[in-house]
Amino acid sequence: MAIDRRNFIKASATAIAASAVSGKLPAMTMMSRSKKMKLSYSIYDISMVHTFNISGFSRDVAQSILVEISYDGQVGYGEAGLPPYMIGQNAQTAADFIKKVNLEQFSNPFILEDILNYVDSLEEGMSCPKAAIDIALHDLIGKLLDKPVYELWGYNKVTTPLSSFTIGFDSEDMVRTKIEEASRFKLLKLKLGKDEATDKMMVRVAREITDKMIYVDANQGWKDKYYALDMIGWLTDYDITFVEQPMPKNMCDDMAWLTSKSPLPTMADEACQRLCDIRNLYQQYSGIVVKTLKSTGLREGKKMIETAKALGMKTMIGCSTETSCAISGAAQLSVMTDYADTDGNLLISNDCFSGMKIVDGKVTLNNKPGIGVVKL
Amino acid sequence: MAIDRRNFIKASATAIAASAVSGKLPAMTMMSRSKKMKLSYSIYDISMVHTFNISGFSRDVAQSILVEISYDGQVGYGEAGLPPYMIGQNAQTAADFIKKVNLEQFSNPFILEDILNYVDSLEEGMSCPKAAIDIALHDLIGKLLDKPVYELWGYNKVTTPLSSFTIGFDSEDMVRTKIEEASRFKLLKLKLGKDEATDKMMVRVAREITDKMIYVDANQGWKDKYYALDMIGWLTDYDITFVEQPMPKNMCDDMAWLTSKSPLPTMADEACQRLCDIRNLYQQYSGIVVKTLKSTGLREGKKMIETAKALGMKTMIGCSTETSCAISGAAQLSVMTDYADTDGNLLISNDCFSGMKIVDGKVTLNNKPGIGVVKL
C-alpha cells in the first residue's frame, strides 16, 4: 500500500523565524558577524508509481530526509533517500543524527571541508543525513554566489550524459509495458540477479523491443564467479554496455578475477560507498557508481569520481528513490561522469520539488543557482 | 650575472584597449553577450638573490611568463616559471603557444573544464604557459565572484601547512649563512644529490645549527637503489622528515623497491608531472609533489592532490623560481596538502606582485578575491 500522506514540516517558516532570531543588521554595520546557518529537516513519505523489485527485496513506499539550511536570506535544500538497504538508517536515526548537528558554530557555509569533516565526525555511518546536509550546503552556496553548482565546479551543463531508466524484474508483460513507458529514455537499466530464467527473459524481451543502449545491474545476485562469467558471456550477444555489481560486494578476489576475464566492463555499486573504497576497487572493477546517500553527498562524491577518473575507471552517478531535490543534487555530478542513473524522481508520484529534467534521454540541468530546484 | 631589466609589457593597457574593442554596452542591454575574455602576456626576467645550485645545474637568473585575462571589468593574473629543466619550454616557445590561444570563443570563464581542455589540446607539452593561463582564469573567477580561490574550493585558509625554505648545496660557510637567513622558517629543505661528502656535510651542518623540521631533495641524484637505501638509513639519524626524488624518475622498479624498504617516506617530484602519472606513482612513492608549471595549473594540480590523498599518499605543493603571482596561485592548493615548498618568490630580488606571505613559517593566505595578489 502506498503512503500518500505528506508529513512535511514547513521549514521555510523555521527559516524566517531563524532569520528574525539572527537579528539582521543594516548592511554597513558588520552584518556578516551576525550571520548564522540555521538547519531544519523533515521526513518525507514517498509514493511509488510501480512496486519496485530488485534482487533482495521489493517495495512500493519509501522515505527520505529533507533538509533546509538558511543563511543570509537564502535557503539551501538537500535530501537523501532512506532505502532499506542502508542498514540502520531510517527516519528515526536520521532525525536523531540531524539533531546533533550545530552549524551555527561556523562563520559561513563556504568552508565546506571544515563543516563536512565536523558533520562526518559526529557519528560513524549516517551517510544519508550527512548527504542531505551536504547537498543543502551546496545549494546554499550556489544561491549566495548566484551560480549553479556545476558551474562553480567549472563544468558546462552540455556535458551531461544520458540517464538510464530502471526496469525492475517483473513478468514478461510488465517488462514490455515498462519498456514502452520508458520510450523517452535512450539508456535502459535492467535489474537482474533473480534467477537465470528471469534474468535471461528480461534481457531477451528488452532486446526484442528495442535497440537502445542497455546495461544490467545484478545487485550482487550472482554468487559464483564462473556462473557470473558465463552470464556476462551470454550478455555480450545482446549488446549490453556494462554489468553493475555482478557479485556480492565482499567477494573481492573473485570480483577481481571476473573483471580481468570479463568481456564487458564491471561497475561497483554496493561495493562502492565512500572515497576510501576507491583504492580497493581499482583493478577489482572497471568503474564505480557513486550515490550521494552513500558518499555523504556531493563533495565526497565529486572526489570519488575524480579519483576514479584519474585511475582510468568509468564513472556513473546513481540515485535512490528520491524527490527531484536529491536527484538534482546528484545530477550536478553528472557533468563529469560517463553515465547517469538519475531516474529516482520519475518512479514516484508525489515529487515535492522540480529541478533537473530528462530531455531526449539526457540529464538536463537548468541555469538556476545552487542545485537548481524549486520547491513545489 | 643577474639580469635586472624589467621586460614587462603593460598588459593592463592591452586590457583597457581590449575592453574598448569589445564594445561594452549599458548593463540593461544584454551586456553579457558582448563579454569576451582577452588574453595578454609578457616575459619577465627574474633576478635571484643567491646563485641557485641543485643536482644538475646552477643559475642566478630566471624567466617566467606572466598572463593577464580581462573579462567584465576584472583582470585575472597568472604566471609560470620557465626553468631550464622544463625542456623545450622557454620565453619563445611559451609566447608562441600563448599566441595560439583564443579565449574569445568561450562565453564565460567559469567553464574551466572546457576552456582548459581546449588549451591543453592545442599542443602537447607546454605545461608552463598552460599553467599561467589556468592561474589567471582562477584569479579572474575569484574576482568575478568576490571570493578567494581557496574558499570557492571549500577550504579554510587556516589549514595551510608550513612552507619549507630551500638551501641549495654550497660551501659549509654558505650553508650556515643561508640557514641563519632562514630563521623565520620552521621547515628546511636541503638540496642533496651532489656527492656523498657534500650531501652528508649539508645534513650535518644543518642539524648542528637547528632542530627544525628538515627534509631533503636528492633531485634524482642517487643512481643506485642500494646506495639510496644506505643514504636514507644514514639520514634517519638526523631526524629527516622525508626524501624527495631520491632516484632518477625513470627507475620505476628500483624506486618501488626503495620505497618498500625505506624507513623514511619518499616523495615524487621530477617523476610527477600530470594527473595521468598518479596511478603509476601509487605504491612507487609515498607521496607526490605538485608544481603548477608541470600540472598545467591549479585545476589539474587540485585533481592530482585529491587523487593522491584518496590513495593514502602524502602531498606537497612545490614551486619554481617565480614571482608572488605564481606562488600565490600555488599557495591556494596548500590548504589541502601536507607540506608546502612555496618559497620561490623569496629567492628573487625583483618580485612584481605581492600576495601570500610566510608568517612564522606558515603559508598565510589573505582574504582578497582570486589568488589574492596585488600588482606592484
Side-chain angles (χ1 to χ4, degrees):
Chain A
M1 192 197 81
I3 295 178
D4 211 349
R5 180 172 53 91
R6 196 157 159 174
N7 174 21
F8 189 74
I9 299 163
K10 282 288 172 202
S12 53
T14 317
I16 292 162
S19 145
V21 168
S22 79
K24 288 213 163 196
L25 301 174
M28 291 297 99
T29 58
M30 301 297 282
M31 187 172 94
S32 66
R33 289 184 190 259
S34 72
K35 288 172 188 164
K36 293 281 180 199
M37 281 180 276
K38 299 285 178 183
L39 172 67
S40 59
Y41 75 95
S42 59
I43 301 297
Y44 191 62
D45 290 325
I46 291 174
S47 305
M48 298 175 70
V49 177
H50 291 297
T51 299
F52 192 63
N53 296 312
I54 71 165
S55 175
F57 63 91
S58 71
R59 58 178 174 148
D60 58 8
V61 293
Q63 284 191 314
S64 74
I65 185 156
L66 293 171
V67 157
E68 301 193 5
I69 301 173
S70 62
Y71 174 86
D72 195 22
Q74 297 287 352
V75 180
Y77 299 111
E79 182 198 14
L82 295 164
Y85 62 77
M86 297 304 283
I87 307 297
Q89 298 194 57
N90 54 47
Q92 186 61 52
T93 60
D96 289 347
F97 178 82
I98 296 269
K99 286 173 195 156
K100 294 184 190 176
V101 177
N102 170 21
L103 296 184
E104 298 191 27
Q105 66 188 294
F106 295 99
S107 59
N108 70 71
F110 293 97
I111 47 172
L112 283 173
E113 191 78 1
D114 287 8
I115 299 171
L116 296 173
N117 282 344
Y118 153 76
V119 170
D120 197 28
S121 73
L122 287 173
E123 188 178 331
E124 214 176 324
M126 287 299 137
S127 57
C128 300
K130 288 173 185 174
I133 292 168
D134 164 286
I135 294 170
L137 285 168
H138 280 85
D139 190 40
L140 177 61
I141 287 168
K143 285 170 174 165
L144 290 166
L145 296 175
D146 197 26
K147 288 285 174 194
V149 170
Y150 63 80
E151 197 164 293
L152 291 174
W153 289 341
Y155 288 90
N156 187 331
K157 69 182 163 71
V158 305
T159 64
T160 53
L162 296 177
S163 175
S164 59
F165 186 81
T166 300
I167 313 287
F169 47 67
D170 217 321
S171 66
E172 192 165 328
D173 282 352
M174 276 305 290
V175 170
R176 280 181 200 281
T177 303
K178 288 179 182 176
I179 290 176
E180 279 151 18
E181 279 178 17
S183 60
R184 65 199 173 100
F185 288 85
K186 291 178 173 160
L187 175 61
L188 298 179
K189 166 177 179 163
L190 302 183
K191 289 282 192 180
L192 304 189
K194 192 171 179 3
D195 56 64
E196 187 170 342
T198 308
D199 284 2
K200 290 188 171 174
M201 175 277 289
M202 294 277 295
V203 174
R204 261 194 301 252
V205 168
R207 263 291 164 256
E208 274 170 35
I209 303 172
T210 181
D211 59 1
K212 288 176 184 174
M213 254 173 76
I214 295 178
Y215 71 94
V216 303
D217 181 359
N219 280 116
Q220 310 181 274
W222 302 335
K223 315 292 185 194
D224 177 89
K225 67 181 178 182
Y226 300 105
Y227 175 76
L229 188 60
D230 282 350
M231 278 300 290
I232 294 173
W234 182 85
L235 288 169
T236 56
D237 289 341
Y238 290 84
D239 193 17
I240 300 301
T241 305
F242 61 81
V243 181
E244 191 179 328
Q245 200 63 54
M247 299 189 68
K249 63 179 178 180
N250 294 328
M251 295 180 73
C252 302
D253 292 344
D254 288 351
M255 195 55 232
W257 177 90
L258 180 63
T259 294
S260 73
K261 306 278 183 201
S262 174
L264 299 180
T266 60
M267 301 284 276
D269 178 15
E270 285 86 343
C272 179
Q273 307 276 329
R274 296 193 59 175
L275 183 59
C276 58
D277 297 323
I278 306 296
R279 71 178 96 163
N280 298 322
L281 300 175
Y282 178 50
Q283 296 174 334
Q284 191 188 139
Y285 292 84
S286 318
I288 59 163
V289 182
V290 169
K291 288 179 180 162
T292 55
L293 61 78
K294 295 193 289 181
S295 71
T296 70
L298 301 181
R299 188 168 178 87
E300 188 159 325
K302 179 168 180 276
K303 289 179 182 176
M304 292 170 73
I305 292 166
E306 288 181 335
T307 300
K309 286 167 68 116
L311 295 173
M313 300 174 82
K314 293 280 174 197
T315 57
M316 179 157 78
I317 178 72
C319 67
S320 182
T321 303
E322 296 167 316
T323 78
S324 286
C325 181
I327 306 294
S328 297
Q332 306 296 313
L333 289 167
S334 75
V335 291
M336 59 191 93
T337 62
D338 300 299
Y339 307 104
D341 173 30
T342 50
D343 63 346
N345 54 340
L346 303 172
L347 307 173
I348 73 178
S349 57
N350 63 340
D351 201 349
C352 55
F353 282 90
S354 80
M356 67 78 77
K357 304 285 178 202
I358 308 290
V359 179
D360 289 334
K362 183 174 148 79
V363 176
T364 305
L365 295 162
N366 58 43
N367 293 321
K368 293 190 182 79
I371 62 170
V373 295
V374 173
K375 206 169 155 182
L376 301 176
Chain B
M1 192 197 83
I3 295 177
D4 210 351
R5 181 173 51 91
R6 196 157 157 172
N7 175 21
F8 190 73
I9 299 163
K10 283 287 172 203
S12 54
T14 317
I16 292 162
S19 141
V21 168
S22 77
K24 287 216 166 195
L25 301 175
M28 292 295 100
T29 57
M30 301 297 281
M31 188 172 94
S32 67
R33 290 186 188 257
S34 72
K35 289 172 187 163
K36 293 281 180 198
M37 280 180 277
K38 300 284 178 184
L39 172 67
S40 59
Y41 75 95
S42 59
I43 301 298
Y44 192 62
D45 290 325
I46 292 173
S47 304
M48 298 176 69
V49 178
H50 290 296
T51 299
F52 192 64
N53 296 311
I54 71 166
S55 176
F57 64 91
S58 71
R59 59 178 173 147
D60 58 8
V61 293
Q63 284 191 315
S64 74
I65 185 157
L66 292 170
V67 157
E68 300 193 4
I69 300 173
S70 62
Y71 173 86
D72 195 21
Q74 297 287 351
V75 180
Y77 299 110
E79 183 197 13
L82 295 165
Y85 62 77
M86 298 303 285
I87 309 296
Q89 299 194 57
N90 53 47
Q92 187 61 53
T93 60
D96 289 347
F97 178 81
I98 297 270
K99 286 175 195 154
K100 294 184 192 177
V101 177
N102 170 22
L103 297 184
E104 298 191 26
Q105 66 188 295
F106 294 99
S107 59
N108 70 71
F110 293 98
I111 47 173
L112 283 173
E113 190 79 3
D114 287 9
I115 298 171
L116 296 173
N117 282 343
Y118 152 76
V119 171
D120 196 28
S121 73
L122 287 173
E123 189 178 331
E124 213 175 327
M126 287 299 137
S127 57
C128 300
K130 288 172 185 174
I133 293 169
D134 164 286
I135 294 171
L137 286 168
H138 280 85
D139 190 41
L140 177 61
I141 287 169
K143 286 170 174 165
L144 290 166
L145 296 175
D146 197 26
K147 288 283 174 196
V149 170
Y150 62 81
E151 196 164 294
L152 292 174
W153 289 341
Y155 288 90
N156 187 330
K157 69 183 163 70
V158 305
T159 65
T160 53
L162 296 177
S163 176
S164 59
F165 186 81
T166 300
I167 313 287
F169 46 69
D170 217 320
S171 66
E172 193 166 327
D173 283 350
M174 275 305 290
V175 170
R176 281 181 198 280
T177 304
K178 286 180 183 175
I179 290 177
E180 278 151 19
E181 279 178 17
S183 60
R184 65 198 172 101
F185 288 85
K186 292 179 171 159
L187 175 61
L188 297 179
K189 167 176 178 164
L190 302 183
K191 290 283 193 179
L192 305 189
K194 193 168 177 4
D195 55 64
E196 188 171 340
T198 309
D199 285 1
K200 290 188 172 175
M201 175 277 288
M202 294 277 295
V203 174
R204 260 193 303 251
V205 168
R207 263 291 163 255
E208 274 168 35
I209 304 173
T210 182
D211 59 0
K212 287 175 183 174
M213 253 173 76
I214 295 178
Y215 71 94
V216 303
D217 181 359
N219 281 116
Q220 310 182 274
W222 302 336
K223 315 293 186 195
D224 176 89
K225 66 181 179 182
Y226 299 104
Y227 175 76
L229 188 60
D230 283 348
M231 279 300 290
I232 294 174
W234 182 86
L235 288 169
T236 57
D237 288 341
Y238 291 84
D239 193 17
I240 301 300
T241 305
F242 60 82
V243 181
E244 191 179 329
Q245 199 65 52
M247 300 188 67
K249 63 179 178 178
N250 294 327
M251 295 180 75
C252 302
D253 292 343
D254 287 351
M255 195 54 234
W257 177 91
L258 181 62
T259 294
S260 74
K261 307 278 184 201
S262 174
L264 299 180
T266 60
M267 301 285 276
D269 177 15
E270 284 86 343
C272 180
Q273 307 277 328
R274 296 193 59 174
L275 183 58
C276 58
D277 296 323
I278 306 296
R279 70 178 95 162
N280 298 322
L281 300 175
Y282 178 49
Q283 295 174 336
Q284 191 188 139
Y285 293 84
S286 317
I288 60 163
V289 181
V290 170
K291 288 179 180 162
T292 56
L293 62 78
K294 295 193 289 183
S295 71
T296 70
L298 301 180
R299 188 169 178 84
E300 188 159 325
K302 180 168 180 277
K303 290 179 182 176
M304 292 170 74
I305 292 166
E306 289 183 335
T307 299
K309 285 167 70 113
L311 295 173
M313 300 174 81
K314 293 280 175 199
T315 58
M316 179 157 78
I317 179 72
C319 68
S320 183
T321 302
E322 296 168 315
T323 79
S324 287
C325 181
I327 306 294
S328 298
Q332 306 296 312
L333 289 167
S334 75
V335 292
M336 59 191 94
T337 62
D338 299 299
Y339 307 105
D341 173 30
T342 50
D343 64 347
N345 54 339
L346 303 173
L347 306 174
I348 72 178
S349 57
N350 63 340
D351 201 349
C352 55
F353 283 90
S354 80
M356 66 78 77
K357 303 285 178 203
I358 309 291
V359 179
D360 289 333
K362 183 175 149 78
V363 176
T364 305
L365 295 163
N366 58 43
N367 293 320
K368 293 190 182 79
I371 61 171
V373 294
V374 174
K375 206 169 156 183
L376 301 175

